[in-house]
Amino acid sequence: MTQISSLEERFLQIIDADEKIEPKDWMPEEYRKTLIRQISQHAHSEIVGMLPEGNWITRAPSLKRKLALLAKVQDEAGHGLYLYSACETLGIDRSTLLDQLHTGKAKYSSIFNYPTLTWADMGAIGWLVDGAAIMNQVPLCRCSYGPYARAMVRVCKEESFHQRQGYEIMTVLCKGSAEQKALAQDALNRWWWPSLMMFGPNDADSTHSEWSMRWKIKRFSNDELRQRFVDMTVPQAELIGLTIPDPDLKFNSDKNGYDFGPINWDEFWEVVKGNGPCNEERLKARIDAHEKGQWVREAAAAYALKQQQKSTISKIA
């Protein structure tokens, strides 16, 4: 027991000194499990998050928009790969992570279970969803677990571009015809509240935040990040002539920020439980893609084995 206490003490000293925990360092089992849950959920969200936007690649209104959307979807795939790799350093293999996703044992962000009905949704997702993601993820660049923190540096740089791309789409629509501006407003109306839900439950109802904050996996609480997002986004909406769909929204001079209305947490939990508009569709698409790609993985593994055998023979010779 003395040895364990000493290890725990050293672990907390590293955390408190704002240094990094690395894969070979000793860590509490709950710290490891918390990281696996968070990083895998993050990775799954990046992969599943490709689906709502991939749906619009062939219907983009111009070649320029198609190229930008293709690049964005490709970025999201890369983010998933970075994060799966970071998660594997915690002693869990990728096949297990994917199995947890496909069987419903692991979750991904509830936001991706909503449909993309118009091109304006591509703007709203980039502006709001990626904007909320940035608010969540920039502090993760200082996460106490080294591989996760380092992966997030590039992810955040690319997400920042995605956010600007989405806001530019909304800006162009708002400068267009009355019909185009109405599409932008409709997209904002549908994506605003799910975007606020992305930060997770209110702090009082969050089951993981306390220890995540103590271990410096997270740096800010759900409610703090949500408030920052609202304060950042409301002026952006006003600038391009859009109205936030919240009758209770008002500026509070005492806190130099915005008060906003109650979030429908019943809706949030229903989506998390698998009862959202697109839960079944998203999971089926992910499973189908995985199964259809089996031959590619087998071919890559066979080629790698063949190259390894050639290298071994060459060394013997």
Side-chain angles (χ1 to χ4, degrees), residues 1-32:
M1 291 298 292
T2 303
Q3 183 182 7
I4 296 296
S5 297
S6 176
L7 290 171
E8 289 176 343
E9 184 178 351
R10 174 59 184 151
F11 170 81
L12 291 174
Q13 286 174 348
I14 294 173
I15 298 291
D16 292 337
D18 265 340
E19 297 174 358
K20 300 301 182 195
I21 301 296
E22 298 297 343
K24 292 184 179 180
D25 293 340
W26 184 90
M27 64 187 74
E29 183 61 16
E30 284 304 312
Y31 177 82
R32 190 182 76 86

PDB file of all heavy atoms in Angstrom, residues 1-32:
ATOM      1  N   MET A   1       0.827  -1.210   0.000  1.00  0.00           N
ATOM      2  CA  MET A   1       0.000   0.000   0.000  1.00  0.00           C
ATOM      3  C   MET A   1       0.862   1.260   0.000  1.00  0.00           C
ATOM      4  O   MET A   1       0.527   2.266  -0.590  1.00  0.00           O
ATOM      5  CB  MET A   1      -0.927   0.004   1.215  1.00  0.00           C
ATOM      6  CG  MET A   1      -2.028  -1.050   1.159  1.00  0.00           C
ATOM      7  SD  MET A   1      -3.139  -0.824  -0.228  1.00  0.00           S
ATOM      8  CE  MET A   1      -3.937   0.704   0.259  1.00  0.00           C
ATOM      9  N   THR A   2       2.049   1.171   0.679  1.00  0.00           N
ATOM     10  CA  THR A   2       2.933   2.331   0.722  1.00  0.00           C
ATOM     11  C   THR A   2       3.417   2.690  -0.672  1.00  0.00           C
ATOM     12  O   THR A   2       3.481   3.860  -1.049  1.00  0.00           O
ATOM     13  CB  THR A   2       4.141   2.041   1.631  1.00  0.00           C
ATOM     14  OG1 THR A   2       3.677   1.678   2.921  1.00  0.00           O
ATOM     15  CG2 THR A   2       5.032   3.277   1.720  1.00  0.00           C
ATOM     16  N   GLN A   3       3.716   1.651  -1.469  1.00  0.00           N
ATOM     17  CA  GLN A   3       4.198   1.880  -2.823  1.00  0.00           C
ATOM     18  C   GLN A   3       3.126   2.573  -3.660  1.00  0.00           C
ATOM     19  O   GLN A   3       3.402   3.516  -4.387  1.00  0.00           O
ATOM     20  CB  GLN A   3       4.605   0.553  -3.471  1.00  0.00           C
ATOM     21  CG  GLN A   3       5.180   0.743  -4.875  1.00  0.00           C
ATOM     22  CD  GLN A   3       5.532  -0.582  -5.528  1.00  0.00           C
ATOM     23  OE1 GLN A   3       5.239  -1.635  -4.993  1.00  0.00           O
ATOM     24  NE2 GLN A   3       6.160  -0.524  -6.683  1.00  0.00           N
ATOM     25  N   ILE A   4       1.861   2.089  -3.535  1.00  0.00           N
ATOM     26  CA  ILE A   4       0.770   2.682  -4.295  1.00  0.00           C
ATOM     27  C   ILE A   4       0.586   4.138  -3.909  1.00  0.00           C
ATOM     28  O   ILE A   4       0.437   5.013  -4.743  1.00  0.00           O
ATOM     29  CB  ILE A   4      -0.544   1.904  -4.070  1.00  0.00           C
ATOM     30  CG1 ILE A   4      -0.416   0.475  -4.618  1.00  0.00           C
ATOM     31  CG2 ILE A   4      -1.708   2.614  -4.725  1.00  0.00           C
ATOM     32  CD1 ILE A   4      -0.207   0.399  -6.112  1.00  0.00           C
ATOM     33  N   SER A   5       0.619   4.428  -2.614  1.00  0.00           N
ATOM     34  CA  SER A   5       0.468   5.801  -2.138  1.00  0.00           C
ATOM     35  C   SER A   5       1.563   6.688  -2.702  1.00  0.00           C
ATOM     36  O   SER A   5       1.316   7.832  -3.084  1.00  0.00           O
ATOM     37  CB  SER A   5       0.493   5.836  -0.606  1.00  0.00           C
ATOM     38  OG  SER A   5      -0.590   5.112  -0.066  1.00  0.00           O
ATOM     39  N   SER A   6       2.770   6.153  -2.764  1.00  0.00           N
ATOM     40  CA  SER A   6       3.892   6.910  -3.300  1.00  0.00           C
ATOM     41  C   SER A   6       3.689   7.187  -4.783  1.00  0.00           C
ATOM     42  O   SER A   6       3.976   8.285  -5.262  1.00  0.00           O
ATOM     43  CB  SER A   6       5.193   6.135  -3.074  1.00  0.00           C
ATOM     44  OG  SER A   6       6.276   6.810  -3.659  1.00  0.00           O
ATOM     45  N   LEU A   7       3.198   6.202  -5.503  1.00  0.00           N
ATOM     46  CA  LEU A   7       2.932   6.374  -6.930  1.00  0.00           C
ATOM     47  C   LEU A   7       1.838   7.407  -7.158  1.00  0.00           C
ATOM     48  O   LEU A   7       1.931   8.250  -8.049  1.00  0.00           O
ATOM     49  CB  LEU A   7       2.535   5.033  -7.552  1.00  0.00           C
ATOM     50  CG  LEU A   7       3.646   3.987  -7.673  1.00  0.00           C
ATOM     51  CD1 LEU A   7       3.075   2.638  -8.093  1.00  0.00           C
ATOM     52  CD2 LEU A   7       4.705   4.444  -8.677  1.00  0.00           C
ATOM     53  N   GLU A   8       0.796   7.327  -6.348  1.00  0.00           N
ATOM     54  CA  GLU A   8      -0.296   8.290  -6.475  1.00  0.00           C
ATOM     55  C   GLU A   8       0.193   9.701  -6.166  1.00  0.00           C
ATOM     56  O   GLU A   8      -0.190  10.664  -6.844  1.00  0.00           O
ATOM     57  CB  GLU A   8      -1.442   7.912  -5.539  1.00  0.00           C
ATOM     58  CG  GLU A   8      -2.201   6.673  -5.969  1.00  0.00           C
ATOM     59  CD  GLU A   8      -3.276   6.273  -4.976  1.00  0.00           C
ATOM     60  OE1 GLU A   8      -3.214   6.744  -3.820  1.00  0.00           O
ATOM     61  OE2 GLU A   8      -4.164   5.499  -5.371  1.00  0.00           O
ATOM     62  N   GLU A   9       1.030   9.811  -5.170  1.00  0.00           N
ATOM     63  CA  GLU A   9       1.559  11.121  -4.792  1.00  0.00           C
ATOM     64  C   GLU A   9       2.394  11.707  -5.925  1.00  0.00           C
ATOM     65  O   GLU A   9       2.272  12.889  -6.257  1.00  0.00           O
ATOM     66  CB  GLU A   9       2.410  10.988  -3.519  1.00  0.00           C
ATOM     67  CG  GLU A   9       2.927  12.321  -3.001  1.00  0.00           C
ATOM     68  CD  GLU A   9       3.719  12.172  -1.712  1.00  0.00           C
ATOM     69  OE1 GLU A   9       3.721  11.060  -1.144  1.00  0.00           O
ATOM     70  OE2 GLU A   9       4.343  13.159  -1.295  1.00  0.00           O
ATOM     71  N   ARG A  10       3.225  10.872  -6.530  1.00  0.00           N
ATOM     72  CA  ARG A  10       4.048  11.335  -7.650  1.00  0.00           C
ATOM     73  C   ARG A  10       3.169  11.735  -8.826  1.00  0.00           C
ATOM     74  O   ARG A  10       3.415  12.759  -9.488  1.00  0.00           O
ATOM     75  CB  ARG A  10       5.023  10.222  -8.063  1.00  0.00           C
ATOM     76  CG  ARG A  10       5.845  10.527  -9.314  1.00  0.00           C
ATOM     77  CD  ARG A  10       6.678  11.772  -9.155  1.00  0.00           C
ATOM     78  NE  ARG A  10       7.380  12.110 -10.389  1.00  0.00           N
ATOM     79  CZ  ARG A  10       7.708  13.350 -10.743  1.00  0.00           C
ATOM     80  NH1 ARG A  10       7.401  14.381  -9.967  1.00  0.00           N
ATOM     81  NH2 ARG A  10       8.351  13.580 -11.874  1.00  0.00           N
ATOM     82  N   PHE A  11       2.137  10.958  -9.092  1.00  0.00           N
ATOM     83  CA  PHE A  11       1.188  11.255 -10.170  1.00  0.00           C
ATOM     84  C   PHE A  11       0.560  12.633  -9.974  1.00  0.00           C
ATOM     85  O   PHE A  11       0.529  13.467 -10.887  1.00  0.00           O
ATOM     86  CB  PHE A  11       0.104  10.172 -10.213  1.00  0.00           C
ATOM     87  CG  PHE A  11      -1.060  10.483 -11.109  1.00  0.00           C
ATOM     88  CD1 PHE A  11      -0.984  10.283 -12.481  1.00  0.00           C
ATOM     89  CD2 PHE A  11      -2.246  10.977 -10.580  1.00  0.00           C
ATOM     90  CE1 PHE A  11      -2.064  10.571 -13.303  1.00  0.00           C
ATOM     91  CE2 PHE A  11      -3.333  11.260 -11.388  1.00  0.00           C
ATOM     92  CZ  PHE A  11      -3.236  11.054 -12.759  1.00  0.00           C
ATOM     93  N   LEU A  12       0.084  12.902  -8.763  1.00  0.00           N
ATOM     94  CA  LEU A  12      -0.561  14.186  -8.471  1.00  0.00           C
ATOM     95  C   LEU A  12       0.442  15.341  -8.511  1.00  0.00           C
ATOM     96  O   LEU A  12       0.080  16.464  -8.882  1.00  0.00           O
ATOM     97  CB  LEU A  12      -1.266  14.128  -7.120  1.00  0.00           C
ATOM     98  CG  LEU A  12      -2.494  13.219  -7.064  1.00  0.00           C
ATOM     99  CD1 LEU A  12      -3.027  13.117  -5.639  1.00  0.00           C
ATOM    100  CD2 LEU A  12      -3.588  13.722  -8.015  1.00  0.00           C
ATOM    101  N   GLN A  13       1.692  15.079  -8.154  1.00  0.00           N
ATOM    102  CA  GLN A  13       2.722  16.114  -8.244  1.00  0.00           C
ATOM    103  C   GLN A  13       2.930  16.537  -9.699  1.00  0.00           C
ATOM    104  O   GLN A  13       3.085  17.726  -9.999  1.00  0.00           O
ATOM    105  CB  GLN A  13       4.042  15.604  -7.655  1.00  0.00           C
ATOM    106  CG  GLN A  13       4.060  15.529  -6.133  1.00  0.00           C
ATOM    107  CD  GLN A  13       5.332  14.888  -5.602  1.00  0.00           C
ATOM    108  OE1 GLN A  13       6.110  14.300  -6.354  1.00  0.00           O
ATOM    109  NE2 GLN A  13       5.549  15.003  -4.295  1.00  0.00           N
ATOM    110  N   ILE A  14       2.926  15.557 -10.586  1.00  0.00           N
ATOM    111  CA  ILE A  14       3.072  15.852 -12.021  1.00  0.00           C
ATOM    112  C   ILE A  14       1.884  16.677 -12.505  1.00  0.00           C
ATOM    113  O   ILE A  14       2.049  17.670 -13.224  1.00  0.00           O
ATOM    114  CB  ILE A  14       3.194  14.542 -12.831  1.00  0.00           C
ATOM    115  CG1 ILE A  14       4.489  13.815 -12.478  1.00  0.00           C
ATOM    116  CG2 ILE A  14       3.136  14.831 -14.329  1.00  0.00           C
ATOM    117  CD1 ILE A  14       4.612  12.433 -13.097  1.00  0.00           C
ATOM    118  N   ILE A  15       0.690  16.276 -12.102  1.00  0.00           N
ATOM    119  CA  ILE A  15      -0.529  17.002 -12.493  1.00  0.00           C
ATOM    120  C   ILE A  15      -0.471  18.439 -11.977  1.00  0.00           C
ATOM    121  O   ILE A  15      -0.712  19.394 -12.730  1.00  0.00           O
ATOM    122  CB  ILE A  15      -1.780  16.294 -11.940  1.00  0.00           C
ATOM    123  CG1 ILE A  15      -1.928  14.884 -12.512  1.00  0.00           C
ATOM    124  CG2 ILE A  15      -3.033  17.134 -12.209  1.00  0.00           C
ATOM    125  CD1 ILE A  15      -2.263  14.812 -13.961  1.00  0.00           C
ATOM    126  N   ASP A  16      -0.167  18.595 -10.712  1.00  0.00           N
ATOM    127  CA  ASP A  16      -0.171  19.926 -10.098  1.00  0.00           C
ATOM    128  C   ASP A  16       0.915  20.837 -10.665  1.00  0.00           C
ATOM    129  O   ASP A  16       0.772  22.062 -10.650  1.00  0.00           O
ATOM    130  CB  ASP A  16       0.000  19.809  -8.575  1.00  0.00           C
ATOM    131  CG  ASP A  16      -1.218  19.177  -7.906  1.00  0.00           C
ATOM    132  OD1 ASP A  16      -2.308  19.228  -8.507  1.00  0.00           O
ATOM    133  OD2 ASP A  16      -1.069  18.616  -6.802  1.00  0.00           O
ATOM    134  N   ALA A  17       1.980  20.243 -11.182  1.00  0.00           N
ATOM    135  CA  ALA A  17       3.062  21.033 -11.772  1.00  0.00           C
ATOM    136  C   ALA A  17       2.785  21.363 -13.242  1.00  0.00           C
ATOM    137  O   ALA A  17       3.626  21.970 -13.912  1.00  0.00           O
ATOM    138  CB  ALA A  17       4.383  20.275 -11.655  1.00  0.00           C
ATOM    139  N   ASP A  18       1.609  20.964 -13.735  1.00  0.00           N
ATOM    140  CA  ASP A  18       1.227  21.189 -15.136  1.00  0.00           C
ATOM    141  C   ASP A  18       2.194  20.511 -16.101  1.00  0.00           C
ATOM    142  O   ASP A  18       2.440  21.007 -17.202  1.00  0.00           O
ATOM    143  CB  ASP A  18       1.128  22.691 -15.458  1.00  0.00           C
ATOM    144  CG  ASP A  18      -0.292  23.209 -15.315  1.00  0.00           C
ATOM    145  OD1 ASP A  18      -1.227  22.390 -15.350  1.00  0.00           O
ATOM    146  OD2 ASP A  18      -0.470  24.426 -15.150  1.00  0.00           O
ATOM    147  N   GLU A  19       2.722  19.374 -15.684  1.00  0.00           N
ATOM    148  CA  GLU A  19       3.535  18.558 -16.576  1.00  0.00           C
ATOM    149  C   GLU A  19       2.650  17.461 -17.169  1.00  0.00           C
ATOM    150  O   GLU A  19       1.487  17.315 -16.791  1.00  0.00           O
ATOM    151  CB  GLU A  19       4.719  17.967 -15.808  1.00  0.00           C
ATOM    152  CG  GLU A  19       5.669  19.027 -15.266  1.00  0.00           C
ATOM    153  CD  GLU A  19       6.766  18.447 -14.386  1.00  0.00           C
ATOM    154  OE1 GLU A  19       6.759  17.210 -14.169  1.00  0.00           O
ATOM    155  OE2 GLU A  19       7.606  19.221 -13.895  1.00  0.00           O
ATOM    156  N   LYS A  20       3.201  16.699 -18.097  1.00  0.00           N
ATOM    157  CA  LYS A  20       2.400  15.709 -18.810  1.00  0.00           C
ATOM    158  C   LYS A  20       2.591  14.298 -18.253  1.00  0.00           C
ATOM    159  O   LYS A  20       3.707  13.886 -17.914  1.00  0.00           O
ATOM    160  CB  LYS A  20       2.769  15.700 -20.302  1.00  0.00           C
ATOM    161  CG  LYS A  20       2.536  17.025 -21.010  1.00  0.00           C
ATOM    162  CD  LYS A  20       1.091  17.474 -20.950  1.00  0.00           C
ATOM    163  CE  LYS A  20       0.900  18.771 -21.710  1.00  0.00           C
ATOM    164  NZ  LYS A  20      -0.390  19.418 -21.378  1.00  0.00           N
ATOM    165  N   ILE A  21       1.493  13.577 -18.204  1.00  0.00           N
ATOM    166  CA  ILE A  21       1.522  12.140 -17.958  1.00  0.00           C
ATOM    167  C   ILE A  21       1.709  11.464 -19.307  1.00  0.00           C
ATOM    168  O   ILE A  21       0.981  11.752 -20.265  1.00  0.00           O
ATOM    169  CB  ILE A  21       0.215  11.668 -17.294  1.00  0.00           C
ATOM    170  CG1 ILE A  21      -0.026  12.397 -15.961  1.00  0.00           C
ATOM    171  CG2 ILE A  21       0.229  10.153 -17.101  1.00  0.00           C
ATOM    172  CD1 ILE A  21       1.012  12.123 -14.904  1.00  0.00           C
ATOM    173  N   GLU A  22       2.685  10.572 -19.400  1.00  0.00           N
ATOM    174  CA  GLU A  22       2.970   9.876 -20.653  1.00  0.00           C
ATOM    175  C   GLU A  22       2.550   8.415 -20.539  1.00  0.00           C
ATOM    176  O   GLU A  22       2.332   7.900 -19.430  1.00  0.00           O
ATOM    177  CB  GLU A  22       4.453   9.999 -20.997  1.00  0.00           C
ATOM    178  CG  GLU A  22       4.933  11.439 -21.211  1.00  0.00           C
ATOM    179  CD  GLU A  22       4.271  12.139 -22.394  1.00  0.00           C
ATOM    180  OE1 GLU A  22       3.690  11.437 -23.252  1.00  0.00           O
ATOM    181  OE2 GLU A  22       4.339  13.377 -22.468  1.00  0.00           O
ATOM    182  N   PRO A  23       2.407   7.713 -21.673  1.00  0.00           N
ATOM    183  CA  PRO A  23       1.853   6.353 -21.669  1.00  0.00           C
ATOM    184  C   PRO A  23       2.536   5.374 -20.720  1.00  0.00           C
ATOM    185  O   PRO A  23       1.881   4.517 -20.122  1.00  0.00           O
ATOM    186  CB  PRO A  23       2.015   5.910 -23.133  1.00  0.00           C
ATOM    187  CG  PRO A  23       1.941   7.177 -23.911  1.00  0.00           C
ATOM    188  CD  PRO A  23       2.614   8.213 -23.051  1.00  0.00           C
ATOM    189  N   LYS A  24       3.843   5.480 -20.546  1.00  0.00           N
ATOM    190  CA  LYS A  24       4.562   4.530 -19.685  1.00  0.00           C
ATOM    191  C   LYS A  24       4.585   4.938 -18.221  1.00  0.00           C
ATOM    192  O   LYS A  24       5.073   4.198 -17.371  1.00  0.00           O
ATOM    193  CB  LYS A  24       5.994   4.334 -20.206  1.00  0.00           C
ATOM    194  CG  LYS A  24       6.052   3.617 -21.555  1.00  0.00           C
ATOM    195  CD  LYS A  24       7.486   3.360 -21.988  1.00  0.00           C
ATOM    196  CE  LYS A  24       7.521   2.617 -23.321  1.00  0.00           C
ATOM    197  NZ  LYS A  24       8.910   2.344 -23.773  1.00  0.00           N
ATOM    198  N   ASP A  25       4.061   6.135 -17.921  1.00  0.00           N
ATOM    199  CA  ASP A  25       4.010   6.582 -16.533  1.00  0.00           C
ATOM    200  C   ASP A  25       2.921   5.838 -15.769  1.00  0.00           C
ATOM    201  O   ASP A  25       1.911   5.417 -16.353  1.00  0.00           O
ATOM    202  CB  ASP A  25       3.717   8.092 -16.463  1.00  0.00           C
ATOM    203  CG  ASP A  25       4.853   8.934 -17.006  1.00  0.00           C
ATOM    204  OD1 ASP A  25       5.988   8.418 -17.089  1.00  0.00           O
ATOM    205  OD2 ASP A  25       4.596  10.105 -17.358  1.00  0.00           O
ATOM    206  N   TRP A  26       3.104   5.708 -14.475  1.00  0.00           N
ATOM    207  CA  TRP A  26       2.040   5.131 -13.649  1.00  0.00           C
ATOM    208  C   TRP A  26       0.871   6.114 -13.594  1.00  0.00           C
ATOM    209  O   TRP A  26       1.064   7.329 -13.518  1.00  0.00           O
ATOM    210  CB  TRP A  26       2.543   4.867 -12.233  1.00  0.00           C
ATOM    211  CG  TRP A  26       1.504   4.192 -11.379  1.00  0.00           C
ATOM    212  CD1 TRP A  26       1.315   2.841 -11.233  1.00  0.00           C
ATOM    213  CD2 TRP A  26       0.484   4.829 -10.590  1.00  0.00           C
ATOM    214  NE1 TRP A  26       0.250   2.595 -10.398  1.00  0.00           N
ATOM    215  CE2 TRP A  26      -0.282   3.800  -9.990  1.00  0.00           C
ATOM    216  CE3 TRP A  26       0.149   6.158 -10.338  1.00  0.00           C
ATOM    217  CZ2 TRP A  26      -1.360   4.053  -9.156  1.00  0.00           C
ATOM    218  CZ3 TRP A  26      -0.937   6.428  -9.503  1.00  0.00           C
ATOM    219  CH2 TRP A  26      -1.673   5.383  -8.918  1.00  0.00           C
ATOM    220  N   MET A  27      -0.328   5.578 -13.643  1.00  0.00           N
ATOM    221  CA  MET A  27      -1.535   6.407 -13.535  1.00  0.00           C
ATOM    222  C   MET A  27      -2.628   5.608 -12.841  1.00  0.00           C
ATOM    223  O   MET A  27      -2.675   4.375 -12.947  1.00  0.00           O
ATOM    224  CB  MET A  27      -2.012   6.861 -14.920  1.00  0.00           C
ATOM    225  CG  MET A  27      -2.455   5.733 -15.840  1.00  0.00           C
ATOM    226  SD  MET A  27      -2.815   6.284 -17.533  1.00  0.00           S
ATOM    227  CE  MET A  27      -1.165   6.579 -18.193  1.00  0.00           C
ATOM    228  N   PRO A  28      -3.520   6.252 -12.100  1.00  0.00           N
ATOM    229  CA  PRO A  28      -4.644   5.539 -11.488  1.00  0.00           C
ATOM    230  C   PRO A  28      -5.522   4.914 -12.563  1.00  0.00           C
ATOM    231  O   PRO A  28      -5.678   5.474 -13.656  1.00  0.00           O
ATOM    232  CB  PRO A  28      -5.405   6.652 -10.744  1.00  0.00           C
ATOM    233  CG  PRO A  28      -4.430   7.761 -10.592  1.00  0.00           C
ATOM    234  CD  PRO A  28      -3.517   7.684 -11.770  1.00  0.00           C
ATOM    235  N   GLU A  29      -6.088   3.773 -12.256  1.00  0.00           N
ATOM    236  CA  GLU A  29      -6.929   3.079 -13.220  1.00  0.00           C
ATOM    237  C   GLU A  29      -8.122   3.942 -13.637  1.00  0.00           C
ATOM    238  O   GLU A  29      -8.535   3.934 -14.807  1.00  0.00           O
ATOM    239  CB  GLU A  29      -7.410   1.747 -12.643  1.00  0.00           C
ATOM    240  CG  GLU A  29      -8.237   0.899 -13.612  1.00  0.00           C
ATOM    241  CD  GLU A  29      -7.466   0.496 -14.867  1.00  0.00           C
ATOM    242  OE1 GLU A  29      -6.226   0.594 -14.884  1.00  0.00           O
ATOM    243  OE2 GLU A  29      -8.132   0.093 -15.841  1.00  0.00           O
ATOM    244  N   GLU A  30      -8.670   4.711 -12.714  1.00  0.00           N
ATOM    245  CA  GLU A  30      -9.815   5.557 -13.055  1.00  0.00           C
ATOM    246  C   GLU A  30      -9.416   6.683 -14.002  1.00  0.00           C
ATOM    247  O   GLU A  30     -10.219   7.111 -14.832  1.00  0.00           O
ATOM    248  CB  GLU A  30     -10.454   6.134 -11.780  1.00  0.00           C
ATOM    249  CG  GLU A  30     -11.301   5.134 -11.010  1.00  0.00           C
ATOM    250  CD  GLU A  30     -12.395   4.509 -11.872  1.00  0.00           C
ATOM    251  OE1 GLU A  30     -13.108   5.279 -12.568  1.00  0.00           O
ATOM    252  OE2 GLU A  30     -12.537   3.282 -11.872  1.00  0.00           O
ATOM    253  N   TYR A  31      -8.196   7.169 -13.867  1.00  0.00           N
ATOM    254  CA  TYR A  31      -7.681   8.185 -14.799  1.00  0.00           C
ATOM    255  C   TYR A  31      -7.604   7.591 -16.200  1.00  0.00           C
ATOM    256  O   TYR A  31      -8.041   8.210 -17.184  1.00  0.00           O
ATOM    257  CB  TYR A  31      -6.309   8.641 -14.324  1.00  0.00           C
ATOM    258  CG  TYR A  31      -5.587   9.646 -15.206  1.00  0.00           C
ATOM    259  CD1 TYR A  31      -5.883  11.010 -15.137  1.00  0.00           C
ATOM    260  CD2 TYR A  31      -4.575   9.235 -16.072  1.00  0.00           C
ATOM    261  CE1 TYR A  31      -5.194  11.941 -15.924  1.00  0.00           C
ATOM    262  CE2 TYR A  31      -3.881  10.151 -16.859  1.00  0.00           C
ATOM    263  CZ  TYR A  31      -4.203  11.502 -16.783  1.00  0.00           C
ATOM    264  OH  TYR A  31      -3.512  12.410 -17.566  1.00  0.00           O
ATOM    265  N   ARG A  32      -7.059   6.386 -16.285  1.00  0.00           N
ATOM    266  CA  ARG A  32      -6.954   5.707 -17.583  1.00  0.00           C
ATOM    267  C   ARG A  32      -8.328   5.473 -18.193  1.00  0.00           C
ATOM    268  O   ARG A  32      -8.561   5.735 -19.377  1.00  0.00           O
ATOM    269  CB  ARG A  32      -6.211   4.372 -17.423  1.00  0.00           C
ATOM    270  CG  ARG A  32      -5.845   3.698 -18.742  1.00  0.00           C
ATOM    271  CD  ARG A  32      -5.165   2.365 -18.497  1.00  0.00           C
ATOM    272  NE  ARG A  32      -6.137   1.356 -18.107  1.00  0.00           N
ATOM    273  CZ  ARG A  32      -6.837   0.622 -18.982  1.00  0.00           C
ATOM    274  NH1 ARG A  32      -6.641   0.761 -20.288  1.00  0.00           N
ATOM    275  NH2 ARG A  32      -7.702  -0.267 -18.568  1.00  0.00           N
TER     276      ARG A  32
END
